[in-house]
Structures are given as C-alpha cells and as structure tokens.
C-alpha cells in the first residue's frame, strides 16, 4: 500500500491511496483541471481512479468531486448526510457510507469512522490492504475515544495539525471564526494532534504526515515540533502535506 497528497489545507485537500490495482482519491477540493495536473505530478490520470471517497461537504474537500465523477464516470462513496448537503448532487454512481460498516473497494478495505466537525455527517477513514493500516484524520474538532480506537496501531498516519493555539488567538480572524476553528466542531490544533498521538499505539508507525495546516495560523516547524515531542522523534522525520506541493508517494512496507 502507498499514499500521497495532491495538496492539503483550507484551499483544497485530496489524498491518494493505492493497493495493488486499486487507486482511490479521498476528497477533491481542487478544480477538475487542477486535479488532473496534480494527479499527473504523481503519475496518474483521473481515468486511473477506482473510486472517489468524500469525508464531508465543505468546499475544500468537494470542489472537484461532481465534475470529476461525471467526466470520468467514477463511483463516489459518502455518507447520506454528506450527499444531502452537496451543492451539486448530480453524480453518476453514489454508494452510501455507513459509519460502522467496512467498505471493500478492490484490494482496499476501508473503515469509515465518525468525527466531531461542523458538517452534516462527517467521517474519516482507515485503509487496510490485509497487511498494513493507513489512518487519516483531518477536519476534527476534538479527539474522542472512538477516534483513538480507530487510529490505534496504524503503520502510517496523516494527522490534522490545523493551527497553533497562540497564532490563532493573536491572528487576524474574527472572534467568531477563531471560536469556530478552535472549537469542539472545528479543527485540531498542533497540541491536540500531539496529545492524540501520544495516546495511540505508534509502535508500527512508518510514516507520520501533518496535514490541513492553516496558512495564517500555523507554521510547518510548529506542527512538526508538537508531533515530534509526542512521538519522541526528530522533527524532520515528520512530513508535511503542503497546500501547493502536496506530498510525494509514501510506501508502507
Ligand atoms: Zn477542510
Ligand atoms: Zn471541514
């Protein structure tokens, strides 16, 4: 199994997961043309995708989904709540995601799990290929026992480090937006991500990627420092899924 990011942050998110001949794209917050360009950078075209998975209806996760699904006739997996909220629900094939039922897509087994976030029925995913587990967590306001259980003992993790609490407090956002971002239905701070990480079994962890960093309220070095402290590793071991550059393929072996 391997994974890569087309880009991550408030201006667009998309993550690739591949196992054998199965290639899925989780979320697509980029235009169709931009997605084609970013996929090409990682060696693929949208026509190579087996399926699209959607975590929730916010624009930075769904902007490119309808056109991509129609143009390339891709099946889309999402919760019924997310489907109801999509501005353009005209999708060729939709499979409902049930929050406590695993999904099989080719060589991948996908486990959806619920997260607290200000969307209709948001979820995140753990991917398994029979040998390894890759867990994703972004767009989550706070950790829950259920999230900890789902992400335990993964071989690779992509973990939201949205903001530094002090930069958010001192920054230019309105009081309401600060409250939303930092609140229990907003986004994980560096400190929250570190705390979550310190409560997981990380003995199998081969890759740790900080994702969904805020341009204004975070710095890569702060996210890396928080996760490195939690994991007791060197900060530069922790990768960043960047807004523009994304993240090159990471193989889980
Ligand atoms: Zn987001
Ligand atoms: Zn969101």
């Amino acid at each position: 199994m391997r994974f890569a990011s087309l880009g991550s942050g408030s201006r667009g998110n998309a993550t690739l997961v591949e196992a054998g001949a199965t290639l899925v794209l989780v979320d697509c917050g980029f235009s169709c043309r931009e997605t084609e360009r970013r996929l090409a950078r990682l060696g693929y075209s949208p026509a190579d995708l087996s399926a699209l998975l959607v975590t929730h209806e916010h624009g930075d996760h769904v902007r490119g989904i309808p056109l991509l699904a129609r143009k390339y006739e891709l099946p889309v997996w999402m919760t019924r709540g997310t489907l109801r909220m999509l501005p353009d629900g005209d999708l060729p094939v939709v499979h409902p995601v049930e929050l406590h039922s695993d999904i099989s897509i080719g060589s991948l087994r996908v486990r959806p799990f619920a997260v607290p976030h200000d969307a209709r029925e948001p979820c995140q995913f753990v991917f398994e290929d029979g040998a390894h587990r890759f867990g994703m967590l972004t767009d989550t306001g706070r950790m829950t026992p259920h999230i900890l259980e789902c992400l335990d003992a993964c071989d690779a993790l992509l973990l939201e480090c949205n903001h530094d609490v002090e930069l958010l407090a001192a920054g230019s956002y309105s009081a309401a937006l600060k409250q939303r971002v930092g609140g229990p239905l907003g986004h994980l701070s560096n400190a929250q991500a570190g705390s979550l990480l310190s409560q997981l079994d990380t003995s199998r962890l081969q890759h740790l990627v900080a994702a969904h960093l805020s341009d204004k309220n975070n710095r890569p070095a702060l996210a890396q420092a928080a996760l490195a402290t939690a994991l007791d590793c060197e900060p530069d071991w922790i990768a960043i899924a960047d807004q523009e550059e994304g993240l090159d393929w990471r193989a889980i072996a």
Side-chain angles (χ1 to χ4, degrees), residues 2 16 26 31-32 42 83 86 95 97-98 108 111 121 126 134 143 149-150 193 207 216 220 230-232 240:
R2 62 178 188 160
L16 275 175
V26 184
S31 70
C32 195
L42 291 160
L83 179 62
L86 269 194
H95 298 288
V97 165
E98 305 283 354
L108 281 171
R111 173 160 299 182
E121 194 183 2
V126 173
F134 165 54
M143 73 177 111
E149 188 183 317
C150 292
H207 303 283
K216 291 194 170 70
L231 207 55
D232 195 17
I240 302 282

Side-chain angles (χ1 to χ4, degrees), residues 55-61 117-119 138-140 180 186-187 212:
T55 59
H56 66 298
E57 68 271 19
H58 290 161
D60 57 321
H61 297 262
H117 188 57
D118 53 0
T138 70
D139 298 77
T140 296
R180 193 234 136 197
H187 293 274
H212 217 302

Side-chain angles (χ1 to χ4, degrees), residues 22 43-44 62 65 71-72 77 91 115 137 190 200 204 248:
T22 306
Y44 284 108
V62 301
I65 292 286
K71 184 173 174 187
Y72 293 96
W77 294 80
L91 299 168
V115 294
L137 182 72
N190 296 338
L200 296 175
R204 299 165 58 100
D248 201 357

Side-chain angles (χ1 to χ4, degrees), residues 185-200:
L185 295 177
H187 293 274
L188 290 179
S189 69
N190 296 338
Q192 284 174 305
S195 168
L196 186 152
L197 189 63
S198 69
Q199 293 176 58
L200 296 175

Side-chain angles (χ1 to χ4, degrees), residues 37-196:
R37 190 182 75 80
R38 290 178 182 236
L39 270 172
R41 203 159 71 183
L42 291 160
Y44 284 108
S45 140
D48 299 316
L49 293 169
S50 314
L52 302 170
L53 282 86
V54 178
T55 59
H56 66 298
E57 68 271 19
H58 290 161
D60 57 321
H61 297 262
V62 301
R63 201 165 288 123
I65 292 286
L67 185 53
L68 210 56
R70 282 200 299 271
K71 184 173 174 187
Y72 293 96
E73 294 177 16
L74 300 171
V76 186
W77 294 80
M78 67 179 91
T79 64
R80 289 189 176 83
T82 299
L83 179 62
R84 193 166 308 159
M85 298 304 288
L86 269 194
D88 184 349
D90 185 18
L91 299 168
V93 181
V94 178
H95 298 288
V97 165
E98 305 283 354
L99 280 176
H100 293 279
S101 304
D102 288 2
I103 303 162
S104 277
I105 304 175
S107 308
L108 281 171
R109 193 163 184 80
V110 187
R111 173 160 299 182
F113 59 98
V115 294
H117 188 57
D118 53 0
R120 182 69 171 251
E121 194 183 2
C123 70
Q124 295 288 316
F125 301 107
V126 173
F127 297 87
E128 301 180 1
D129 68 351
H132 298 103
R133 283 156 54 79
F134 165 54
M136 287 183 59
L137 182 72
T138 70
D139 298 77
T140 296
R142 60 184 174 84
M143 73 177 111
T144 64
H146 183 56
I147 292 174
L148 290 173
E149 188 183 317
C150 292
L151 294 181
D152 210 33
C154 281
D155 301 273
L157 280 172
L158 182 141
L159 196 56
E160 175 167 58
C161 289
N162 178 258
H163 57 278
D164 172 81
V165 171
E166 287 172 18
L167 285 181
L168 178 66
S172 61
Y173 280 15
S174 68
L177 189 52
K178 285 178 185 179
Q179 205 151 33
R180 193 234 136 197
V181 168
L185 295 177
H187 293 274
L188 290 179
S189 69
N190 296 338
Q192 284 174 305
S195 168
L196 186 152

